[in-house]
Amino acid sequence: MVFEILLPGNTKVEMDKKRDFYEKYGLEEYYLYDPETNNLQGWTRVNQSLVPIANINGWTSPRLQIKFVLTTTLEISFPDGRKFLTPVELEQRAQQAELERQRYQELLKQLRDRGIEI
């Protein structure tokens, strides 16, 4: 499975060549997402060819069992229904974890300053 995000500099010719390469070498699933237009395209292998997925919104990958849903953006869900986190959400979680780590270290220091070792 290959999932690609279209960049402004990518050309249709370039992306068609990539898909042809993947088709030639047996790729089972290929997904191409354009965040500028919120457009998702997908292809799945049927015999020797990658064929377009007609109804991609709500599609579940046969290989990974992840689900693709287009709302105002692309939402991808794990097989159990949990959504993949966006880069922004991942950064927020990392920042929160760092704040919690700093608070923990400060509490440990306060305990040590009072002669309490953990």
Side-chain angles (χ1 to χ4, degrees):
M1 175 186 184
V2 171
F3 185 93
E4 293 191 275
I5 297 176
L6 195 62
L7 299 172
N10 294 127
T11 66
K12 180 175 178 358
V13 170
E14 171 189 10
M15 301 315 291
D16 287 346
K17 282 183 182 180
K18 282 185 175 187
R19 191 179 62 245
D20 290 345
F21 174 86
Y22 298 141
E23 183 174 56
K24 179 179 178 179
Y25 289 100
L27 185 72
E28 293 179 30
E29 298 175 53
Y30 177 57
Y31 301 95
L32 179 62
Y33 179 64
D34 183 348
E36 296 267 327
T37 61
N38 193 35
N39 182 43
L40 176 66
Q41 295 176 284
W43 294 262
T44 188
R45 181 161 294 279
V46 175
N47 299 320
Q48 300 301 315
S49 300
L50 284 174
V51 297
I53 299 166
N55 298 314
I56 193 80
N57 193 15
W59 173 263
T60 298
S61 158
R63 167 62 66 187
L64 299 180
Q65 297 300 303
I66 58 176
K67 184 175 184 177
F68 300 99
V69 175
L70 288 164
T71 59
T72 57
T73 187
L74 174 62
E75 295 178 0
I76 304 173
S77 300
F78 290 96
D80 66 3
R82 289 178 299 122
K83 289 189 172 99
F84 282 56
L85 297 177
T86 67
V88 171
E89 292 167 328
L90 288 169
E91 178 62 26
Q92 289 171 341
R93 285 196 178 188
Q95 289 174 357
Q96 184 62 36
E98 178 58 23
L99 290 173
E100 290 174 11
R101 187 194 67 76
Q102 290 173 2
R103 177 74 177 134
Y104 173 76
Q105 292 300 322
E106 178 59 31
L107 291 171
L108 283 177
K109 182 182 179 310
Q110 290 175 13
L111 290 171
R112 282 189 210 104
D113 289 349
R114 292 187 176 144
I116 302 169
E117 289 295 326
I118 295 183

